[in-house]
Amino acid sequence: MVKPGCVFCEIVAGAESRTLVAENELAVAFMDVDPVTPGHVLVIPRSHSVDLFDIGPEDLAACAQLARKVARRAKNRLDADGVHLLNCSGEAAWQSVFHFHLHVILRFSDEPEKDRIGLPWESVPSTLEEIQRIANLLR
């Protein structure tokens, strides 16, 4: 399914330019036009899904498999020290394009000119009781 007006659907259809780096039957990977670090790639399903809660299991698996393939290749060929695989679902989680996508973001230790990312959150210690209470809600 293609959603009219969706920039990622337009990329899949070839109507919008992209720099393709990999693809499989259900997903495509292309360079992010506003990269956070060199080698920043987006992986999207060919079929429109709004976010993590909307994407079908086959499309999600295809995106994850393609993201791992791209991450391995990028880490090795660009000498990255690590990789973030990030999905943002919903406005509150920083989603700005409402077509499911995974960010493959390379990390470079001790190279501030390449890697300017800091942790976007602070860990907040919790009690064992609170952790157990929440775990019970999630079971």
Side-chain angles (χ1 to χ4, degrees):
M1 177 183 102
V2 173
K3 181 177 179 187
C6 172
V7 66
F8 286 176
C9 284
E10 291 173 4
I11 286 172
V12 169
E16 191 69 35
S17 68
R18 63 181 173 174
T19 307
L20 185 73
V21 295
E23 62 185 318
N24 61 33
E25 183 181 326
L26 298 175
V28 298
F30 55 93
M31 300 303 296
D32 192 311
V33 296
D34 293 313
V36 176
T37 63
H40 182 170
V41 172
L42 298 176
V43 180
I44 66 172
R46 291 180 186 274
S47 180
H48 184 81
S49 299
V50 174
D51 57 23
L52 181 62
F53 308 107
D54 187 42
I55 191 170
E58 288 181 356
D59 284 345
L60 180 59
C63 286
Q65 290 166 358
L66 190 58
R68 183 170 77 171
K69 178 181 178 178
V70 168
R72 278 185 175 148
R73 186 184 303 159
K75 185 178 183 302
N76 291 334
R77 294 182 184 175
L78 299 176
D79 294 322
D81 299 303
V83 177
H84 280 294
L85 187 60
L86 175 68
N87 168 255
C88 304
S89 287
E91 245 180 270
W94 311 326
Q95 186 177 7
S96 59
V97 177
F98 291 88
H99 181 121
F100 176 85
H101 55 288
L102 294 172
H103 294 263
V104 179
I105 302 171
L106 301 179
R107 299 306 307 269
F108 301 90
S109 298
D110 302 322
E111 295 189 61
E113 70 282 355
K114 285 186 178 177
D115 196 328
R116 298 171 305 281
I117 303 172
L119 275 175
W121 61 78
E122 280 185 43
S123 297
V124 179
S126 189
T127 65
L128 183 56
E129 293 79 21
E130 180 66 2
I131 292 169
Q132 289 174 337
R133 183 188 73 76
I134 294 170
N136 288 334
L137 292 172
L138 297 176
R139 287 189 182 106

